[in-house]
Amino acid sequence: EDEDEDEDEDEERVVIRKVAIVDLDVHHGNGTEELVRLRSRQHPDEMFFFSIHLFQPQHTGIPEAYEFYPGTGGGDIVQDNVVNVPIYPCWCVEGNGPSKRTRVASKREPGEGGGACSVLPGWAGQEMFKRCHGRNYFRSQIQHKLLPTLRAFSPDLIILSMGFDGAEGDVGNANLWLDNMPGGLDLTCEDYRWATEEICSLADVCCDGRVVSVLEGGYGRRDRRHGETRCWLDRSLLADNCCSHVRGLVGTDTSARQPLL
């Protein structure tokens, strides 16, 4: 009987050979990317990494120009199964104005460099900026870049690095030099739920729904009701986004939903 039980356990045991990490935090997952690249060099095709994040690197030769942390993740690293989607900050879209420290430099024409709103190296002109910012671009890249590459990799397990600091109003995507300007990204609760549901639907196809979600960034919006001298955080924004994400994980089919214990 003991041998039969051991055989049953072996049949139920799931072997995880291929792991995909999807990073939806507003900052580039440079540390995770480095670990994935090291692993990929030793064991090709076992790891996949996707990061969608704000990207505004510091201009070459202009030390006072603003750089959104960490300033990496500007492109894919195909040989290591790394896919990066840089999103241009909303504060740099035409009409939103320069940072405090680059007002003089930003008077130059777009493409000459120098200002927070000028054309960055590696970006093909101002028209590119208009298409590569905001929640609509976020959704299009999830649909047209993440899902196809993730399906092609066909992982045994998907790990979500869930950051909610890309939400509209969250201090995590703010430019501290632009007090009265838009944040860098404007995601809503529905965007987080939609992205989660899309990834979970793909997981049902390629890995029997195996998804692990890990909380990363997400802080809340500024709350100045206590006065201008002190800034408090209203964490209701973070809570709302987390709840939307959990709803996406659980699914919309309530008839098949198991009770939470």
Side-chain angles (χ1 to χ4, degrees):
E1 293 182 1
D2 292 340
E3 292 181 358
D4 292 339
E5 290 179 0
D6 292 339
E7 290 178 0
D8 292 339
E9 291 179 359
D10 290 338
E11 291 178 358
E12 294 177 359
R13 186 176 298 139
V14 176
V15 177
I16 304 297
R17 293 190 176 90
K18 301 176 67 176
V19 177
I21 302 175
V22 177
D23 190 335
L24 301 184
D25 190 273
V26 79
H27 302 91
H28 176 234
N30 54 340
T32 306
E33 178 184 289
E34 184 62 25
L35 292 174
V36 170
R37 294 186 65 190
L38 289 173
R39 179 72 178 179
S40 297
R41 293 165 191 168
Q42 300 172 357
H43 303 278
D45 301 326
E46 287 190 0
M47 299 289 293
F48 170 88
F49 178 66
F50 175 92
S51 177
I52 183 167
H53 47 269
L54 284 186
F55 180 70
Q56 185 185 1
Q58 192 173 58
H59 292 252
T60 303
I62 306 174
E64 74 276 11
Y66 184 79
E67 175 184 72
F68 188 79
Y69 183 84
T72 55
D76 301 336
I77 309 174
V78 178
Q79 66 273 20
D80 293 330
N81 290 331
V82 171
V83 178
N84 284 310
V85 176
I87 298 182
Y88 202 64
C90 292
W91 64 67
C92 284
V93 177
E94 186 176 0
N96 282 343
S99 68
K100 293 178 180 178
R101 299 188 184 184
T102 55
R103 294 189 186 280
V104 175
S106 64
K107 292 180 180 179
R108 305 174 186 176
E109 292 298 318
E112 292 183 5
C117 296
S118 59
V119 176
L120 300 178
W123 294 73
Q126 194 72 21
E127 289 300 319
M128 178 72 76
F129 304 156
K130 296 177 181 179
R131 299 193 302 269
C132 299
H133 77 280
R135 57 189 297 261
N136 290 334
Y137 183 70
F138 173 88
R139 285 200 178 212
S140 71
Q141 293 303 293
I142 294 293
Q143 184 174 7
H144 299 297
K145 194 162 187 179
L146 170 61
L147 298 180
T149 53
L150 193 57
R151 180 67 183 92
F153 180 71
S154 190
D156 300 312
L157 172 69
I158 298 174
I159 298 177
L160 293 179
S161 293
M162 281 304 303
F164 301 99
D165 43 4
E168 184 174 15
D170 193 281
V171 297
N173 69 81
N175 184 334
L176 299 181
W177 294 354
L178 298 173
D179 294 333
N180 299 316
M181 292 296 176
L185 200 51
D186 56 353
L187 300 183
T188 66
C189 290
E190 285 305 311
D191 294 323
Y192 285 115
R193 178 169 180 169
W194 171 84
T196 303
E197 289 176 342
E198 291 294 309
I199 294 169
C200 287
S201 295
L202 183 64
D204 289 338
V205 174
C206 64
C207 57
D208 293 330
R210 288 188 289 272
V211 176
V212 174
S213 180
V214 180
L215 177 64
E216 285 206 6
Y219 310 97
R221 62 168 62 90
R222 292 179 180 176
D223 183 356
R224 297 189 182 276
R225 289 177 296 177
H226 301 277
E228 293 294 326
T229 57
R230 300 183 65 181
C231 182
W232 299 71
L233 283 181
D234 177 4
R235 293 187 174 87
S236 62
L237 176 65
L238 172 61
D240 290 342
N241 288 318
C242 287
C243 288
S244 294
H245 172 59
V246 171
R247 293 188 186 101
L249 289 172
V250 173
T252 56
D253 185 2
T254 56
S255 62
R257 189 175 303 166
Q258 296 296 321
L260 297 178
L261 300 178

